[in-house]
């Protein structure tokens, strides 16, 4: 049996902050005790004096290898989970995809194949339901038995991932039968496509127009519609990558009514804005959907308010990187949309810097508390997607997914020191105080300062339970 002690740190959970030593045996946390109050022996001792000891980050929205816009998201499960580990994230929940004409479980199996033996950290799957029919609805039960308890649907991307209201409603009714969560990409894609076509006809082809045509009111409208359909079907609903204050208003109303409606936002919607899309084709780096929002309209401020007041419960990343130029054997993926913004692959890299960015912008800059940071980035995602208390806390019996975080050390974020497989950082030259120091995944040290000690294949598939917030 391998025993590890983490000594001298401040254990920070969603509930508490305390001086405590942590004893790990093999893959599990087996004891917490006041420093000096025990006589534990161990094979290795990690000194965390002056540092936080937090549960590993959980990113419940990643797209490794996602096929999109004629190419694939540039991070593989191997490179993407390694980058996640570097950034203090020890679990991801990625999206397996059912494409049109394919069975739901075919999508699940294809993603199992991609991830198997590749991941540095533990991983689960949601399923993107791309083709609602009788067979698909039946297969939602099979998926559930395999530990997929959440299903993503799209009100955007007509002709690709899009489902109409009838399909959405039928899937919600199915989800209601066993309490699965429907995750919604809530943008009115039909109306957006009209605006896209009109903009292109006017010769408006630069990336900034991606942000202009995908109106925030159309995120609000779709969010409202999704909530009403879920209310009728009595299924739990989770709005993914919420970016617009109009959408937050709808979620807030629904939650005030006591509905099982939940939502996440992502660092890019808190920290970046429409103007980042504006520097001619450089703006392609910031093309994602929903788009980055106008600072003047106050979206970002409202999102922080939502996070403080629990109208938003989770911060994930929607990690979906595409290279700007040729890189590591990949084509210049973003340049597929030169001369036509609608052909720019949608997505941004983000799985690596999430914990540090939110610590800086949230905790250091006084927008959320230290415990709320842990809750938003680890505990709540674990509870929302049926992983708690194995994941998401520092407690006896939990998996030893632990990050030792140094709140006094600083670094400058750059493409030159990141590990994601992509040729830019959306946060180039941003300075953060508070950095990931040591990372353990199920008791094994995978990141030790500047040294990577992880291994592809260490990460295990997680069968997930139900959303623990549903009442
Ligand atoms: N949004 C993105 O930006 N990329 C992938 C899919 C999505 O919904
Ligand atoms: Zn989406
Ligand atoms: Zn996504």
């Amino acid at each position: 049996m391998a025993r590890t002690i983490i000594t001298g740190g401040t254990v920070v959970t969603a509930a508490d902050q305390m001086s405590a030593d942590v004893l790990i045996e093999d893959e599990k946390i087996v004891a917490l005790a006041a420093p000096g109050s025990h006589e534990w022996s161990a094979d290795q001792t990690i000194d965390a004096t002056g540092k936080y000891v937090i549960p590993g980050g959980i990113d419940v929205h990643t797209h490794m290898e996602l096929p999109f816009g004629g190419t694939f998201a540039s991070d593989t499960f191997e490179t993407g989970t390694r980058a996640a580990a570097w950034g203090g994230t020890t679990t991801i929940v990625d999206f397996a995809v059912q494409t049109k004409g394919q069975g739901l479980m075919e999508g699940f199996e294809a993603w199992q194949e991609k991830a198997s033996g590749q991941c540095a950290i533990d991983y689960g799957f949601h399923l993107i339901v791309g083709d609602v029919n009788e067979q698909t609805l039946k297969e939602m039960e099979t998926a559930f038995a395999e530990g997929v308890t959440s299903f993503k649907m799209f009100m955007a991307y007509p002709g690709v991932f899009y489902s109409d209201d009838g399909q959405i409603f039928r899937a919600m009714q199915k989800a209601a039968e066993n309490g699965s969560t429907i995750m919604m990409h809530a943008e009115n894609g039909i109306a957006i496509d009209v605006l896209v076509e009109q903009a292109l006809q006017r010769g408006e082809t630069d990336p900034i127009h991606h942000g202009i045509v995908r109106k925030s009111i159309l995120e609000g409208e779709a969010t409202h519609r999704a909530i009403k359909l879920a209310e009728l079907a009595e299924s739990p609903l989770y709005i993914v990558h919420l970016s617009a204050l109009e959408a937050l208003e709808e979620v807030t109303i629904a939650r005030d009514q006591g509905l099982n409606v939940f939502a996440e936002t992502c660092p890019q919607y808190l920290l970046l804005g429409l103007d980042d899309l504006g520097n001619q084709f450089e703006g392609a780096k910031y093309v994602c959907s929903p788009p980055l929002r106008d600072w003047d309209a106050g979206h970002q401020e409202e999102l922080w308010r939502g996070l403080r007041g629990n109208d938003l419960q989770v911060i994930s990343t929607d990690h979906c990187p595409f290279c700007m130029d040729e890189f590591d054997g990949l084509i210049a993926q973003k340049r597929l949309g030169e001369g036509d913004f609608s052909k720019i692959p949608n997505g941004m890299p983000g799985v690596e810097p999430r914990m540090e960015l939110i610590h800086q912008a949230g905790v250091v800059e006084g927008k959320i508390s230290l415990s709320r940071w842990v809750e938003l980035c680890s505990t709540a995602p674990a509870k929302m997607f049926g992983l708690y208390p194995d994941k998401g806390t520092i407690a006896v019996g939990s998996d030893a997914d632990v990050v030792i975080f140094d709140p006094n050390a600083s670094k400058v974020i750059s493409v030159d020191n990141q590990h994601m497989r992509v040729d830019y950082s959306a946060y180039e030259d941003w300075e953060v105080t508070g950095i990931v120091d040591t990372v353990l995944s199920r008791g094994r040290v995978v990141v030790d300062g500047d040294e990577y000690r992880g291994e592809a294949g260490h990460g295990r598939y997680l069968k997930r339970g139900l959303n623990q917030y549903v009442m």
Side-chain angles (χ1 to χ4, degrees), residues 198-265:
Q198 291 170 347
L200 291 173
Q201 273 167 6
R202 288 193 298 270
E204 296 165 358
T205 59
D206 279 349
I208 185 76
H209 296 288
H210 170 87
I212 293 171
V213 298
R214 300 186 83 93
K215 303 286 182 197
S216 59
I217 191 175
L218 293 176
E219 188 181 335
E221 184 278 328
T223 302
H224 177 82
R225 194 157 28 103
I227 289 168
K228 290 295 141 187
L229 293 172
E231 182 180 3
L232 196 59
E234 298 183 21
S235 69
L237 174 69
Y238 178 91
I239 304 294
V240 293
H241 48 46
L242 189 146
S243 74
L245 60 86
E246 293 91 334
L248 180 56
E249 256 169 40
E250 298 293 342
V251 169
T252 303
I253 292 168
R255 291 179 61 77
D256 288 348
Q257 290 170 343
L259 298 175
N260 284 311
V261 171
F262 311 94
E264 65 177 18
T265 191

Side-chain angles (χ1 to χ4, degrees), residues 351-392:
V351 76
E352 186 172 353
R354 177 184 66 136
M355 300 297 288
E356 292 170 348
L357 281 172
I358 300 302
H359 178 265
Q360 171 64 37
V363 181
V364 176
E365 295 174 23
K367 293 200 179 68
I368 54 172
S369 70
L370 192 58
S371 280
R372 185 67 177 151
W373 168 61
V374 170
E375 186 169 28
L376 289 164
C377 295
S378 179
T379 314
K383 290 183 177 175
M384 192 72 72
F385 292 102
L387 294 167
Y388 188 86
D390 289 338
K391 309 291 188 190

